[in-house]
Structure formats: structure tokens, C-alpha cells
Amino acid sequence: MENPLRYLLLLLPLLLLLPVSSIAQSSGNNITLGSSLTARDNDSWASPSGEFAIGFQEIIPGGFLLAIWFDKIPEKTIVWSANGDNLVQTGSRVELTSNGKFVLNDPSGKEVWRADSGGIGISYAAMLDTGNFVLASQESSNLWESFNHPTDTILPTQILNLGSQLVARFLETNYSNGRFMFALQSDGNLVLYTTDFPMDSNNFAYWSTQTMDSGFQVIFNQSGRIYLIGSNRSILNDVLSNEVNMREDFYQRAILEYDGVFRQYVYPKSAASGTMAWSSLSKFIPENICTSIGASTGGGACGFNSYCRLGDDQRPSCHCPPGYTWLDPLDSLGGCRQNFVQQRCDAGAQEADLFDFSEMLGVDWPYADYQHFKGVTQDWCREACLGDCFCAVAIFRDGDCWKKKVPLSNGRYDLSNERRAMIKVRTDNSTLPPIDEGSKGKDQSTLILTGSVLLSSSAFFNFLLLLAIVLFIRRCKHRKTSVLQTSPAMEGTNLRSFTYKELEEATNGFRDELGRGAFATVYKGALPHDDGINLIAVKKLERMEKEGDKEFGAEVKAIGRTNHKNLVQLLGYCNEGQHRLLVYEFMSNGSLATFLFGNSRPDWCKRTRIILGTARGLLYLHEECSTQIIHCDIKPQNILLDDFLTARISDFGLAKLLKTDQTRTMTGIRGTKGYVAPEWFKTVPVTAKVDVYSFGIVLLEIIFCRKNFEPDVRDESQMILADWVQDGYKEKRLDLLAGNDEETFGDMERLEKFVMIAIWCTREDPSQRPTMKKVVQMLEGAAEVSIPPDLFFSYASSIQC
Ligand SMILES: *[C@@H]1O[C@H](CO)[C@@H](O)[C@H](O)[C@H]1NC(C)=O
Ligand SMILES: *[C@@H]1O[C@H](CO)[C@@H](O)[C@H](O)[C@H]1NC(C)=O
Ligand SMILES: *[C@@H]1O[C@H](CO)[C@@H](O)[C@H](O)[C@H]1NC(C)=O
Ligand SMILES: *[C@@H]1O[C@H](CO)[C@@H](O)[C@H](O)[C@H]1NC(C)=O
Ligand SMILES: *[C@@H]1O[C@H](CO)[C@@H](O)[C@H](O)[C@H]1NC(C)=O
Ligand SMILES: *[C@@H]1O[C@H](CO)[C@@H](O)[C@H](O)[C@H]1NC(C)=O
């Protein structure tokens, strides 16, 4: 009896043959009639070995779940639950009544759930070492077993009989029935389905064993293998053939997770066997859920208007396309909505001018077509969609053009399909106004969710998983006032305050360096989130003023109040002892510098979008946020690119923090050589026009895809781009500068206009430079661009700044 598991295993072949068995006898502790547990105390009934327990877990503050869990590990991972759809309040009770019923009652005594023992009185209950909770009759035959009523998890020795099913939970920490199902149908076929959420009925089969008339039982063997047998006990299908070496050293479970994937996990029983965390084994089904679902109804793996992308770690994550935002920021599988006003159908070309496209490679929504054209060009396809008020997305590949309408369904990202998705977004006034103050906080979470990217190496993943769980448990204890807030937020902002230790853990001891500047080093890190992990960039400020404490708070607050789609969002900070750190969203596509000066020349269309994005971000900093922020260090290294290649300005608001504006010596100048406006070196006040100057230089770099200063060129007159361009412009030979970039050359009118804007921005006299507002208007075509004075004298000083 020291090892009941082994005992059970010996019994296993016998048990398989007996319809009603007598497992309860293997238990050491019988639960007697009249026993009860209350949702308040930490009370639970443990199995003889202590490995499993049944009792209440507090899932949300004041919301309890009657559950069975792994009791010897800190995570207390739940394997079965009774009332996921209907959490009970503090004071609820589960009782084995004196008349032999097992019932869950709310505090008022109203029945919430009961185990169906077939009308026969229960004599005793037992929590077994296998994780099975049984209710037995006087004759010790099991009237009810949790193993026969699984939720989303199965355990070693557990068997699924014909007609059994697992239903995925709604989200990682929401035990309500979710959107996927794993069913051993009574016809013998074993199938993974999407459900018609919120109904439990099945919708689309995305995986099956095709064992109609032959499948009989699904067995989770001790060895770690999960397989389907026929009634003659021959193995019909290796559902998951992960073998677990030294299985007695590991806890095991298999679960249909909320993302629709059936995975198997192991957890070492002691640190000697590995990292103390659940790690998922290499085989799971389906291999790629993003591309497995092909239903003509339903949203697919990620919900309507979103798309699903399989990460390097083989886990799916859901994303909203550009111009779209989460329907419910807390539900990453809930789909997205357009955040702009739809195109009117009665306004013709005028209205079409207000729309433009964001392009994405490899993204497709195969089940939302309403028109298909063959033998057309991409431009034709664009125009066709632009002029059509029904068209939300156009997909182009090799002369084929598909028009799609909303809601888009079954979105997936798959680079192998070589399709170009053109997503139509409104460019004027593109966001819908927020409905109320409350929705602002939600937008914040959107950002966090959008950033959610999963990880590659499994060791690292384990570390993060453990971290996630530890943080989650810690959070549960702190979650008294707010479900959303993880730690104290700075007053008046959504900023989270981190401890140094938290950030040290999140960055794995500041190991992965993303970049280094004179004042700071940036590290990559990850933070656990309710249903995934968010990559972050942690900036460690090195040279902080000693008394900068108050200042730091004030500046961080100012940065935290900014919110614009062309800025990198600050998520939090750490101000502890001599440590000053800032936590930002992680930008997956790196900096504009690498994008521009890499091997291949990025296309002109993407570059113009980046130009506009950068200009709009700066305009916001200068004129639209509550306190004006002068960046002081605009350069391609500080302009980052997100998943959609949208320009996002980083490092703003740091100028004051570093106190360099007061010490304008050469070494104290915050800007970077080549991008710095001339007035930095003079005794005139520094204004927002310094950023306009730097923007002008960056604008030229983006237009011509080369660095402003290129010491290695043969022709000395070409060493400084800004000078070369001035000369080229005077001589009307900009084509020489565009080199062999035919695409850019083909858009000469715009090229010339942008060059003129850049020349205006880089005027020596700050007062002659336009404001960012004017710059944006000129770039967008809303304001005329005049010819700079010394290039065409009669037009001198026609721009008012
Ligand atoms: C549990 O109770 C049943 C019925 O009263 C009895 O047959 C069985 O021996 C008990 N088991 C243990 C371990 O006490
Ligand atoms: C529950 O457990 C926690 C931690 O083990 C302990 O701090 C707390 O006092 C316990 N509460 C009750 C009501 O026993
Ligand atoms: C879980 O999700 C369901 C479906 O959206 C929702 O109704 C329920 O309130 C959620 N439960 C919790 C505890 O958040
Ligand atoms: C068991 O049944 C399966 C299908 O039901 C059949 O293919 C197989 O040959 C049978 N095996 C034996 C040993 O009878
Ligand atoms: C089931 O597990 C036992 C013990 O781990 C092992 O000997 C046996 O080969 C396994 N059976 C199958 C079909 O994998
Ligand atoms: C945005 O749109 C609304 C209504 O569509 C309009 O009233 C408002 O003037 C627009 N704002 C700007 C800045 O274009």
C-alpha cells in the first residue's frame, strides 16, 4: 500500500473489463457521511499520498471553484472542476450529506451542483492517489467517479469511454466552457471540434482518427502514451505517443487547452529531475491549429477579424490586423473590431480618398471572399477594393485578386502562401472616439495583448511558465480590489510600478541586450499575462542624477500619459534605490536604422508610411499631448517598427530626465552627431524645432535609404547626404540620388515634394523651419510645399512657422 499507483496499475487490466469497479478500497482515508468543506477555509480532502486534493480554489476574489488539483506543487494545478460556469461565493459548502448525496450549495443553501449517483445513497467518498475522486456505495462499488466526468484534463490511468468528451476552458484562468471539444463519439470516432460557442454543440472537426465503428476507449497509460484502442484491445491510433522516461519521477496530465490544442505536460516531483514547472511534451494535436480550421461558419482559431500565428514555440497567438482592435481586450480569442468608421457607400470617390491600405505578407482569411478576379495587377486590385464600400481586405497573388468582407473569419498567418493582404483602413480621423472614460483603460490592455508573442526555446519557456505561475499565485493573493491591476499603478496613468527583482527575473538577469546608448542599456524581457507572455524592452538608465528622485517620478508620469499609435508605449517603471528602469512594449521589427540600412532597399510604399508615422508621432509629442515633449534625439535608431512596420518613436521624454538641457556643453548634448540642430551649439533657447531639424535629416535618409554621413564614398561631395541633396535639387538631378531605385523614381513628384520638406526642416535658422503640424500637412498634401528660398529666390520666406 506504500505505492497505491503501482497497485492500481496491476489492477488496471482487470478494471478495464469491469464496468463497475471497486477502486475505492485502495484509498486510505474514507470521507464519511456528514463531512463538508466550506469555501473560505483552506480546507480540502487530500489523497493518501497527498498528491491530489479536492476542495475549493478562489479563482477570482470571492469566486470559488470546487476542484481537484495537484496538491504537492505550488501551482495547485486544477485537473477537474464542478462549477466552472458558475463560481460560488465565500461561505458556499460542499457536503456529503447524511442521506448519501454529494452536493454543492451556495451560502443561502441553494443547490448549485450535485454528483449524480443514480439515485443510490452514497456511503462514503474517497480522494484517490490517481486523482480520481469517487463516491461509493455500501458495497464499495463506485456510484460516481470524477474520472468518468472529465472537464478538460485527463490523468495517467484515466480512460475515456465511448460518448466521453473534454471541453476546453474559456481562457487559461477562466474555467467556463470554452470554444473547443475533444470527443470520443459513440460511433467510435475520436474528434477535435470547434464548438458553436456559447453552445456546447460541435461545429467543425479539425482533427479526427477516422475510427467510426472501431474506436472503443482512449487510454492514458502510465508510460505517458495516450492511445485509442478497439474493442478487441488492439491499438488503433497513437493519439499522443510521447513516452515519459522515468515516469515515476514526474506528475503528468493531458489537457485540451483553451487555444484548442490537446497537449501533454510533465512536472518533476523533485528538483533533481528538472525545472520545477509544467513543460509541454513535443507531440500535440493538431500540429498547426491556425491552419487546421476551415469552417464556413464561426471565427476560426482566433475569432472574427483576427488572425492566428504559430510562434516559434509552436503555440498559436492571435493578432488584430492594422486598423482593428480587440473586441474584448481580456479575451484574446474573442476577435477584433474595426476602430474606424466604415466606408460610406453613397459618397463615391470622395470617400475612397479617405482610405488607404496596410499591407501584410502571408496573412489570409480564406473564408471571407465575395469576389475573385483573375489576370489583374496588384494596383488594379487595390483600386478595385478602394472604390468598393463592401471591401474590407483585398488579397493578391500572381494576378489573382480576392475581395473580402467583414467579419473576416479563419484568419491565419502563413508565409508559405505568398499572398499579399491589403487591409483597408480609414486614414483621416481613423479611430472611433472612445465611448467613455472606462474604455480608455481597456485600450491600454489592448496594447499589452497585442504585444503578446510567444517564445522559442523550451527551457526559457519553462522558466517563464514558472515565473508566470509564481506571479499569478502571488497576484491571486493580492487581488482584493481589482482583477486587472497586477501591481500599484502610478496615479493618473496606467503605469505599473515594478520592483528591481521583478525586472531582473523578467529579463533573466539582464542577459539579452537589445541595444546600448550613452545613458542606458536596453534588455529584452518577458512578462506573464493571463493568457500568454508579453515581450518587453527594459531600459536601464545608467547615469542618473542622484537627487533625480522626484524628477524621475514627474517625467515618468508625463511619458506615461502619452498614448499615440506612433509612439512606443511605456508600460511601467522601477524606481528603487539607485535603480531607474523603464519598461516598454517590445517592438518586433527592430529599428528603422536596421530596416533602412540593411542589405535590401525596403519598398517605397512602406517607407512613405514610416515617414508619415514618424511625423505624426512627433506632432503628437509637440502639440497634442498634455505637456509638450521635445524629443532631442530623433534618429533612425530611436524609431522602432512594430509587427506591422508602423513607425513608433521611442526614447521620448528622457531629455529632462538626463538633465542635459541645462548643461549644453559638447559632451552634454543629448542628440547624436549628424542629427543635431545647429542651435545646440549656440546660446539660443532650444525649442521643438530641434526635433524638426533631426526629422528633416531622417526624412532624407528614409527617402534615399542611406545614412546622412557616409565617410566611405568616393566622391567627397556625396559624403553628407543633406548637402548632396541640396546640390542635386538645385541642378534638378534628384534622379541621380534615387540611384537605381525605380520604384522611388517612378514617384518623382512625391519624391521632390518630400525632398523640399526635408530642406525646409533642416534650415539653419530654427524660425524658418516649419512646425511638425505644418510638416504633417505638407506630407499629407493638405498644405502646399513652397520652394525653399535660396533654391528659388522669389519664393523666399513664404512659409510661416
Ligand atoms: C472505506 O469504507 C468502506 C465502507 O464502509 C470500507 O469497506 C472500506 O474498507 C473503507 N476503507 C478504508 C481504507 O477505510
Ligand atoms: C490559508 O493558507 C494561507 C497560506 O497557506 C494562510 O496564510 C492562511 O492563513 C490560511 N487561511 C485559513 C483560513 O486557514
Ligand atoms: C469567463 O468567461 C465567460 C464567457 O465570456 C464569462 O461569462 C465569465 O464571466 C467569465 N468568468 C470569469 C470568472 O471571468
Ligand atoms: C481488432 O479490431 C481491428 C478493427 O476493429 C482489426 O483491424 C484488427 O485486426 C483486430 N485485431 C485482432 C487481433 O483481432
Ligand atoms: C503502458 O504502460 C506500461 C507501464 O508503464 C508499459 O509497460 C506498457 O508497455 C504500456 N503500454 C502501452 C500500450 O504503451
Ligand atoms: C473626425 O470625424 C468627425 C465625424 O466623422 C468630424 O466631425 C471631425 O471634424 C473629424 N475630425 C478631424 C480632425 O478630421
Side-chain angles (χ1 to χ4, degrees):
M1 204 72 86
E2 307 99 32
N3 193 342
L5 286 183
R6 185 165 302 160
Y7 177 53
L8 237 149
L9 199 70
L10 291 173
L11 270 178
L12 195 62
L14 257 175
L15 301 183
L16 296 181
L17 300 172
L18 297 172
V20 180
S21 50
S22 46
I23 302 183
Q25 283 178 348
S26 68
S27 149
N29 340 19
N30 278 350
I31 297 152
T32 53
L33 297 184
S35 310
S36 71
L37 295 172
T38 307
R40 174 188 309 123
D41 313 328
N42 292 344
D43 250 6
S44 58
W45 292 318
S47 71
S49 68
E51 288 187 353
F52 288 95
I54 183 170
F56 288 102
Q57 275 202 19
E58 194 171 10
I59 303 300
I60 55 169
F64 290 84
L65 186 65
L66 174 60
I68 298 172
W69 61 82
F70 283 96
D71 203 35
K72 279 197 171 165
I73 59 174
E75 294 84 353
K76 309 283 179 205
T77 310
I78 290 176
V79 298
W80 175 88
S81 61
N83 57 320
D85 281 322
N86 191 7
L87 298 181
V88 292
Q89 285 168 277
T90 313
S92 301
R93 260 154 55 100
V94 62
E95 187 177 7
L96 182 56
T97 61
S98 52
N99 59 355
K101 294 191 169 75
F102 190 67
V103 217
L104 170 63
N105 289 327
D106 73 9
S108 68
K110 200 175 131 240
E111 181 177 313
V112 175
W113 174 86
R114 88 158 56 199
D116 178 9
S117 57
I120 304 170
I122 300 162
S123 305
Y124 65 99
M127 182 70 245
L128 308 187
D129 283 333
T130 50
N132 193 7
F133 180 71
V134 299
L135 303 172
S137 69
Q138 198 143 22
E139 297 77 41
S140 292
S141 63
N142 291 341
L143 300 171
W144 185 94
E145 301 180 32
S146 62
F147 269 17
N148 288 341
H149 299 86
T151 48
D152 58 0
T153 303
I154 55 172
L155 295 169
T157 74
Q158 190 164 353
I159 290 165
L160 295 179
N161 292 306
L162 293 179
S164 310
Q165 62 187 39
L166 306 180
V167 177
R169 58 184 82 152
F170 188 72
L171 288 172
E172 186 73 54
T173 55
N174 179 333
Y175 293 80
S176 215
N177 278 356
R179 297 164 264 219
F180 304 93
M181 184 198 287
F182 178 84
L184 177 55
Q185 299 181 152
S186 33
D187 68 0
N189 199 8
L190 180 64
V191 193
L192 277 168
Y193 282 112
T194 59
T195 64
D196 292 319
F197 185 81
M199 312 283 244
D200 286 342
S201 51
N202 54 38
N203 177 17
F204 181 81
Y206 56 97
W207 179 90
S208 82
T209 53
Q210 295 294 324
T211 47
M212 280 75 84
D213 304 323
S214 58
F216 178 61
Q217 282 178 328
V218 173
I219 296 179
F220 191 164
N221 195 3
Q222 276 305 125
S223 65
R225 219 169 141 191
I226 299 169
Y227 52 90
L228 175 70
I229 58 167
S231 51
N232 61 9
R233 320 218 59 75
S234 66
I235 296 178
L236 299 177
N237 189 292
D238 258 318
V239 177
L240 288 181
S241 54
N242 292 303
E243 298 272 344
V244 181
N245 293 329
M246 295 179 295
R247 61 196 180 280
E248 58 282 348
D249 296 341
F250 292 91
Y251 298 111
Q252 297 186 47
R253 67 188 166 105
I255 172 173
L256 175 62
E257 290 195 280
Y258 74 96
D259 60 9
V261 182
F262 186 65
R263 296 190 185 90
Q264 190 178 350
Y265 286 85
V266 295
Y267 192 114
K269 292 187 181 173
S270 77
S273 317
T275 322
M276 297 294 279
W278 287 109
S279 39
S280 62
L281 300 182
S282 61
K283 302 224 174 78
F284 49 84
I285 47 174
E287 273 176 31
N288 183 352
I289 187 151
C290 295
T291 53
S292 305
I293 300 176
S296 52
T297 61
C302 279
F304 292 109
N305 293 333
S306 68
Y307 66 93
C308 177
R309 179 174 181 169
L310 205 63
D312 292 340
D313 61 349
Q314 306 301 308
R315 282 172 183 263
S317 58
C318 302
H319 306 262
C320 291
Y324 290 69
T325 179
W326 298 102
L327 213 48
D328 174 358
L330 298 180
D331 179 6
S332 59
L333 264 57
C336 313
R337 61 173 171 84
Q338 289 174 329
N339 65 1
F340 50 85
V341 184
Q342 284 219 359
Q343 189 170 2
R344 285 170 52 182
C345 291
D346 58 357
Q350 226 177 344
E351 176 85 354
D353 283 349
L354 303 178
F355 286 83
D356 200 357
F357 290 94
S358 284
E359 285 191 16
M360 297 180 79
L361 265 184
V363 173
D364 195 6
W365 290 270
Y367 301 91
D369 304 348
Y370 67 93
Q371 253 187 331
H372 179 192
F373 304 96
K374 298 181 199 72
V376 297
T377 64
Q378 190 183 342
D379 278 343
W380 190 92
C381 189
R382 282 173 76 94
E383 291 306 316
C385 181
L386 198 60
D388 178 350
C389 62
F390 298 127
C391 184
V393 169
I395 304 276
F396 182 78
R397 192 195 60 189
D398 289 346
D400 280 305
C401 169
W402 291 266
K403 282 194 206 167
K404 317 246 169 197
K405 58 188 187 314
V406 286
L408 303 157
S409 62
N410 273 295
R412 72 265 319 258
Y413 172 87
D414 179 8
L415 266 186
S416 69
N417 84 16
E418 293 188 343
R419 282 156 196 234
R420 189 178 287 272
M422 295 179 278
I423 296 138
K424 188 157 81 178
V425 291
R426 187 181 276 268
T427 51
D428 59 335
N429 196 343
S430 64
T431 49
L432 287 172
I435 294 168
D436 55 44
E437 204 51 34
S439 65
K440 249 189 166 173
K442 280 193 166 186
D443 281 351
Q444 189 69 31
S445 344
T446 312
L447 275 172
I448 298 173
L449 274 168
T450 316
S452 161
V453 182
L454 290 153
L455 292 145
S456 47
S457 112
S458 79
F460 187 45
F461 182 73
N462 286 345
F463 161 75
L464 289 165
L465 194 67
L466 180 65
L467 183 66
I469 291 162
V470 169
L471 282 178
F472 177 72
I473 288 170
R474 209 184 282 169
R475 178 153 60 134
C476 287
K477 289 185 184 155
H478 290 196
R479 270 205 301 198
K480 285 289 171 263
T481 47
S482 153
V483 189
L484 266 177
Q485 207 62 58
T486 50
S487 57
M490 186 178 256
E491 195 194 330
T493 69
N494 286 312
L495 293 181
R496 189 179 151 186
S497 154
F498 291 88
T499 64
Y500 186 71
K501 192 140 184 295
E502 274 176 310
L503 294 181
E504 198 169 22
E505 279 167 8
T507 55
N508 204 356
F510 299 103
R511 214 162 282 169
D512 195 354
E513 192 176 308
L514 291 171
R516 184 183 281 268
F519 306 101
T521 312
V522 186
Y523 301 91
K524 186 170 174 180
L527 285 176
H529 188 260
D530 282 359
D531 38 66
I533 279 155
N534 298 321
L535 292 186
I536 52 172
V538 177
K539 185 174 210 98
K540 208 171 171 188
L541 304 179
E542 323 255 340
R543 283 202 234 146
M544 276 299 302
E545 296 293 316
K546 279 199 191 73
E547 315 85 56
D549 215 48
K550 244 191 222 155
E551 194 117 343
F552 183 79
E555 290 306 314
V556 164
K557 210 165 177 173
I559 303 172
R561 277 202 220 98
T562 62
N563 184 354
H564 189 271
K565 65 171 190 271
N566 295 112
L567 301 181
V568 176
Q569 185 76 30
L570 182 68
L571 304 175
Y573 64 96
C574 162
N575 185 7
E576 193 180 290
Q578 81 275 31
H579 300 300
R580 307 272 193 282
L581 299 98
L582 298 170
V583 179
Y584 292 97
E585 345 164 52
F586 177 77
M587 293 290 123
S588 56
N589 273 315
S591 78
L592 176 60
T594 23
F595 181 74
L596 278 186
F597 312 134
N599 292 333
S600 62
R601 194 178 261 247
D603 78 55
W604 174 234
C605 178
K606 289 198 185 91
R607 271 146 57 211
T608 51
R609 278 189 47 229
I610 292 172
I611 291 170
L612 263 166
T614 309
R616 287 186 185 130
L618 264 178
L619 167 60
Y620 173 86
L621 288 177
H622 288 176
E623 296 183 29
E624 292 168 359
C625 60
S626 49
T627 19
Q628 184 189 48
I629 295 178
I630 304 178
H631 191 294
C632 297
D633 198 10
I634 288 290
K635 56 179 175 182
Q637 288 78 5
N638 281 338
I639 298 164
L640 305 184
L641 302 173
D642 67 14
D643 291 1
F644 311 114
L645 289 178
T646 304
R648 310 273 294 257
I649 299 174
S650 78
D651 258 15
F652 52 89
L654 299 185
K656 270 203 205 140
L657 263 186
L658 301 165
K659 283 210 166 174
T660 47
D661 52 343
Q662 286 150 22
T663 51
R664 268 201 291 128
T665 59
M666 268 303 279
T667 50
I669 286 174
R670 156 118 166 97
T672 304
K673 197 165 167 287
Y675 302 94
V676 169
E679 63 267 31
W680 276 109
F681 305 100
K682 300 176 189 162
T683 51
V684 293
V686 166
T687 64
K689 293 292 179 66
V690 297
D691 287 346
V692 177
Y693 182 93
S694 310
F695 173 79
I697 299 290
V698 173
L699 174 53
L700 290 177
E701 293 186 323
I702 303 178
I703 298 172
F704 297 106
C705 284
R706 68 153 263 193
K707 290 182 186 144
N708 184 40
F709 183 64
E710 197 85 83
D712 298 332
V713 292
R714 250 178 287 142
D715 184 348
E716 217 173 278
S717 70
Q718 300 182 3
M719 201 138 74
I720 295 172
L721 178 63
D723 295 347
W724 186 26
V725 170
Q726 289 244 4
D727 297 344
Y729 186 82
K730 273 187 213 161
E731 288 156 21
K732 288 255 162 228
R733 289 314 307 270
L734 282 180
D735 52 327
L736 289 182
L737 278 106
N740 52 7
D741 182 356
E742 281 182 22
E743 199 187 9
T744 316
F745 187 62
D747 195 9
M748 199 35 116
E749 201 178 317
R750 179 138 58 158
L751 178 92
E752 265 183 39
K753 185 169 88 175
F754 282 12
V755 167
M756 278 201 290
I757 296 170
I759 292 174
W760 275 114
C761 289
T762 52
R763 303 295 294 173
E764 170 105 15
D765 177 358
S767 69
Q768 285 192 9
R769 292 175 214 148
T771 59
M772 279 319 293
K773 182 166 202 157
K774 185 91 188 184
V775 170
V776 170
Q777 287 171 347
M778 292 191 291
L779 289 169
E780 285 176 341
E784 286 287 304
V785 189
S786 54
I787 298 172
D790 41 3
L791 301 184
F792 191 85
F793 291 95
S794 60
Y795 279 91
S797 73
S798 65
I799 280 204
Q800 294 300 311
C801 294

